[in-house]
Amino acid sequence: MTLKNPYFSLYETALLSLCGAFVFVAKTIIKIPLHFPGHSGIFIAIPFIIGAGLVKKPGAATYIGLIAGLLFSFFGLEPLHLFDVFKYVAMGLVVDAVSVLFAFRMENPAVGFIAGAAGNIAKMAVNYSVHILLGVPATFIILGIGISSVTFLVCGGIGGAIGALVIGRLLRAGVIGGHGP
């Protein structure tokens, strides 16, 4: 049996896969010497926002998160790398929910900020949940969650706003279409 009308076109699948790969490459290569949690959200949220803003279909950011999470899980760059797929899928799900809530107006910096911040917070929540499930005492996690949630929110929001500004600039330059499929 073959699909007559796939949900994502070949172009959209390629674009979303490249965005997911860019998340992996950006986190692997870009090393910013900031020593607070969540700072990678500045450049990780950008491909999520751009992919969701260009494709404008529910599930676009989740697909990006799935590709990025599988790459992180397979190549194992962090101690709990097998669970990375859950963090990035959660981020994609939340970015998708925000993009649907705001009718895919991802070129608006305020919407980008909200989507990036919410996505990065979801990534943090899943990360802490995995640690609790693996037996890390909850008191350690509760102590670290206060400042971490603020830095995750701000850094994810900054990355989301940057992604929205990129989409807005591409729209104004005529590189991408505004409202077509």
Side-chain angles (χ1 to χ4, degrees):
M1 179 176 156
T2 61
L3 289 174
K4 302 265 188 237
N5 294 322
Y7 185 68
F8 292 127
S9 69
L10 181 61
Y11 169 77
E12 292 168 340
T13 304
L15 177 73
L16 296 174
S17 297
L18 285 173
C19 286
F22 183 72
V23 170
F24 174 75
V25 169
K27 182 144 178 158
T28 304
I29 292 177
I30 300 173
K31 300 294 181 194
I32 300 174
L34 299 175
H35 299 291
F36 57 85
H39 72 276
S40 64
I42 294 172
F43 51 84
I44 284 188
I46 295 171
F48 280 96
I49 303 303
I50 290 175
L54 293 179
V55 173
K56 295 185 189 287
K57 289 182 183 176
T62 304
Y63 183 84
I64 293 170
L66 179 66
I67 296 298
L70 288 173
L71 288 169
F72 280 112
S73 292
F74 182 73
F75 289 108
L77 300 175
E78 294 181 5
L80 298 174
H81 62 87
L82 294 176
F83 300 104
D84 283 347
V85 69
F86 300 116
K87 293 191 308 191
Y88 292 97
V89 168
M91 185 172 183
L93 284 169
V94 171
V95 170
D96 272 334
V98 172
S99 63
V100 168
L101 183 66
F102 288 101
F104 298 101
R105 301 294 303 186
M106 301 305 278
E107 68 275 3
N108 185 335
V111 174
F113 185 90
I114 292 168
N120 213 25
I121 289 288
K123 184 176 150 252
M124 177 198 74
V126 169
N127 188 30
Y128 284 140
S129 298
V130 167
H131 282 87
I132 287 174
L133 288 173
L134 293 177
V136 175
T139 52
F140 290 121
I141 292 177
I142 290 172
L143 289 174
I145 210 165
I147 299 293
S148 294
S149 61
V150 173
T151 58
F152 268 83
L153 186 132
V154 170
C155 292
I158 290 170
I162 291 170
L165 292 171
V166 168
I167 292 173
R169 182 65 184 132
L170 291 173
L171 283 168
R172 286 190 301 282
V175 175
I176 57 174
H179 301 288

